[in-house]
Amino acid sequence: MKVPKRIATVIMNSLKGGVVPRIGLPYITVGRESEINALLYDVDIISEGGASFRFVTGKYGSGKSFLLQTIRNYVMDRNFVVVDADLSPERRLQGTKGQGLATYKELIRNMSTKTCPEGGALQLILDRWINSVRSEVVSEKGITQESPDFNKEVERKIYEVINALNEMVHGFDFAKLLSVYYKSFVNADDEMKGKVIKWFRGEYVNKTEAKSELGVNIVITDDDWYEYIKLFAMFLKKAGYSGMMILIDELVNIYKIPNAITRQYNYEKILTMYNDALQGKAKYLGIIMGSTPQCIEDTRRGVYSYEALRSRLEAGTFSKEGYSDMLSPVIKLQPLTNEEMLILAEKLSIIHADLFGYERKITEEDLVDFIRIEFGRIGAEQNITPREVIRDFIELLNILWQNPDSDVKEILGSDSFSYAKNSLNDVEIEKEFEEFEI
């Protein structure tokens, strides 16, 4: 397993910093087979015109973000367009000060495809769509691009796609902008193309500006941004992609909102998205949200505080400890086993040795000792997470590399090696402020 140096560097730096690398995940993925298979089952449904909605829950450092990034890579390989965003105090699902629109902007900014995995793929997708239509006309009609009928045939195919969107909410204006983009493409008018891209990104502030520059009397807002996501999903299918996957992480930032009414509005938006996916109102669209268990299950502040969601998502009568229903809307991440962590440690030791160009001297016995010591700590069974184990292990590898004469057993048994602190399972709220809301 030879990992390119650039990717190996990203892997090591990201994992040591406690974050998930956006590239190189196949080199270090272990376990999570049942979770991945469940989510990939959804992918098949989405590509056939369905929709799905899932929550992935686990405590901090348990691998939620890792799983989301893994799914991101899988679905891009299956010709999906992926948009992803982390929620924050400035980015919510619903807001009165642009927080919902800010989430939409982040999603579109991170729009990615297999050929453009780092985001910013919107213009590439639009240009590819137009070029593919032109190629289809050449092959189906047997005419060249110089033919007088060529542009007429291309326009006819373009309007077939556009007309299919007209029936959807805001579909007429969305279709009109696609038409403006096509004409700008044909006329090589990069300025007008840029304005259309700006509109699709949600960057027009008021209707007057959009009307004067593009001829549409509408802009994307906090209230309706999700409708445009559904339009994008339908358009992307028409443009030759399998569908669209939305990945939203850090749902805990909604749980943290101090104002109960604002929280409820955000949970209401989640309910709308959930209902659309399960009732068939959305097509070619998958939504996965990452959260902590408390963020979902807390009946005072969490998702379950919104009764309509609690009644839909709560586990049924027959769910017991040790039984996992991977077809339920909420997928609870199980801890990686000691054996899976051992395999991961071995992979990381190989990558580390290749990256820094030294002969790997850590043995399988050393790896077993490390895992046994990590999981032998008091409370480790309930509290230790993959993130903590990985950070400890990379620190151990760094020490061994920088001190070639050192011994693994010596380091593990000495006071100089400090373990990563246990992450907080959930958000801690001081007791005296528990019932206090602004």
Side-chain angles (χ1 to χ4, degrees), residues 85 116 147 248 363 395:
C116 188
S147 168
I248 295 178
T363 65
E395 183 179 358

Side-chain angles (χ1 to χ4, degrees), residues 221-238:
T221 67
D222 266 348
D223 295 326
D224 61 11
W225 65 267
Y226 170 61
E227 299 298 334
Y228 290 98
I229 291 289
K230 290 194 287 186
L231 277 163
F232 262 117
M234 182 62 80
F235 163 69
L236 290 168
K237 180 63 179 181
K238 299 286 184 184

Side-chain angles (χ1 to χ4, degrees), residues 107-242:
L107 289 169
I108 301 302
R109 187 178 70 82
N110 291 331
M111 186 175 281
S112 303
T113 64
K114 186 177 181 180
T115 53
C116 188
E118 300 301 313
L122 178 56
Q123 183 165 347
L124 180 77
I125 289 168
L126 293 171
D127 290 349
R128 177 184 177 273
W129 167 56
I130 294 170
N131 282 323
S132 68
V133 171
R134 290 160 72 98
S135 299
E136 281 176 27
V137 169
V138 171
S139 61
E140 289 176 9
K141 302 295 181 181
I143 58 178
T144 63
Q145 295 191 18
E146 289 74 33
S147 168
D149 294 329
F150 178 74
N151 283 337
K152 192 185 295 182
E153 289 295 332
V154 172
E155 282 183 22
R156 185 180 64 79
K157 276 192 165 291
I158 292 287
Y159 285 112
E160 279 178 14
V161 173
I162 289 172
N163 289 334
L165 303 175
N166 281 338
E167 301 301 316
M168 299 178 69
V169 177
H170 300 309
F172 181 80
D173 292 295
F174 192 92
K176 185 175 181 180
L177 285 157
L178 288 175
S179 175
V180 171
Y181 190 89
Y182 166 67
K183 288 171 182 171
S184 305
F185 183 94
V186 171
N187 298 327
D189 186 348
D190 289 339
E191 185 181 350
M192 184 57 76
K193 280 172 64 177
K195 289 176 181 177
V196 177
I197 293 291
K198 178 183 173 183
W199 191 93
F200 281 136
R201 285 177 178 158
E203 293 171 3
Y204 273 94
V205 179
N206 56 62
K207 295 179 182 180
T208 306
E209 186 185 8
K211 180 73 174 174
S212 64
E213 293 191 3
L214 292 168
V216 291
N217 194 31
I218 195 168
V219 293
I220 301 169
T221 67
D222 266 348
D223 295 326
D224 61 11
W225 65 267
Y226 170 61
E227 299 298 334
Y228 290 98
I229 291 289
K230 290 194 287 186
L231 277 163
F232 262 117
M234 182 62 80
F235 163 69
L236 290 168
K237 180 63 179 181
K238 299 286 184 184
Y241 293 92
S242 298

